[in-house]
């Protein structure tokens, strides 16, 4: 099982993320991706996303997240945990991070259109 937990400031702040990282973040929440991954890798993906704008409670329940927030304030967000381990702060996981997490190559195609 792959368990990822995202601690985020707000839905609005996500729009300021790197376009590719944001697209990957959104795609892993897609039910079809999760079902395909389970079929191919025989491993379930469990995802949680907590927004500070919604509730402080999930943040308060995690000592490491609270430690980072006390140190850096909301600038520490987004914070990503894989299991109980913090794997990314101040930004969403990168393409390389997601490749390692899901043990598969991820390629990105960029359009020449502006």
């Amino acid at each position: 099982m792959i368990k990822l937990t995202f601690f985020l400031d707000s839905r609005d702040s996500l729009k300021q993320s790197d376009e590719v990282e944001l697209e990957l973040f959104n795609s892993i929440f897609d039910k079809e991706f999760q079902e395909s991954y389970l079929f191919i890798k025989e491993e379930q993906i469990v995802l949680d996303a907590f927004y500070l704008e919604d509730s402080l409670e999930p943040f308060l329940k995690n000592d490491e997240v609270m430690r980072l927030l006390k140190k850096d304030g909301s600038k520490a967000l987004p914070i990503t945990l894989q299991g109980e381990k913090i794997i990314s702060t101040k930004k969403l996981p990168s393409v390389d991070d997601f490749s390692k997490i899901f043990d598969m190559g991820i390629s990105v195609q960029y359009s020449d259109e502006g």
Side-chain angles (χ1 to χ4, degrees), residues 32-33 37 55 58 60 72 90-91 109 114:
E32 190 175 316
F33 171 80
Y37 190 83
S55 174
L60 294 171
D72 295 331
K90 300 181 182 177
K91 64 177 186 62
Q109 292 183 327

Side-chain angles (χ1 to χ4, degrees), residues 8 12 32 34-35 63 69 84-85 87 90 92:
L8 305 147
D12 232 25
E32 190 175 316
Q34 293 176 24
E35 289 172 352
D63 293 338
L69 288 174
E84 298 299 316
K85 181 183 173 198
I87 60 166
K90 300 181 182 177
L92 293 173

Side-chain angles (χ1 to χ4, degrees), residues 85-110:
K85 181 183 173 198
I86 293 174
I87 60 166
S88 178
T89 63
K90 300 181 182 177
K91 64 177 186 62
L92 293 173
S94 68
V95 173
D96 288 342
D97 293 333
F98 279 122
S99 291
K100 289 175 189 160
I101 291 165
F102 295 112
D103 189 29
M104 60 188 218
I106 298 174
S107 63
V108 179
Q109 292 183 327
Y110 295 93

Side-chain angles (χ1 to χ4, degrees), residues 25-68:
F25 171 81
N26 288 328
S27 67
I28 66 169
F29 280 90
D30 182 76
K31 187 176 181 174
E32 190 175 316
F33 171 80
Q34 293 176 24
E35 289 172 352
S36 298
Y37 190 83
L38 178 62
F39 179 76
I40 294 167
K41 293 283 192 172
E42 298 180 349
E43 195 166 15
Q44 183 181 7
I45 300 171
V46 177
L47 303 171
D48 286 306
F50 300 110
Y51 294 89
L52 195 55
E53 69 182 357
D54 292 342
S55 174
L56 188 58
E57 189 176 341
F59 294 77
L60 294 171
K61 288 182 177 178
N62 189 298
D63 293 338
E64 283 300 302
V65 169
M66 283 308 299
R67 184 184 61 76
L68 284 171

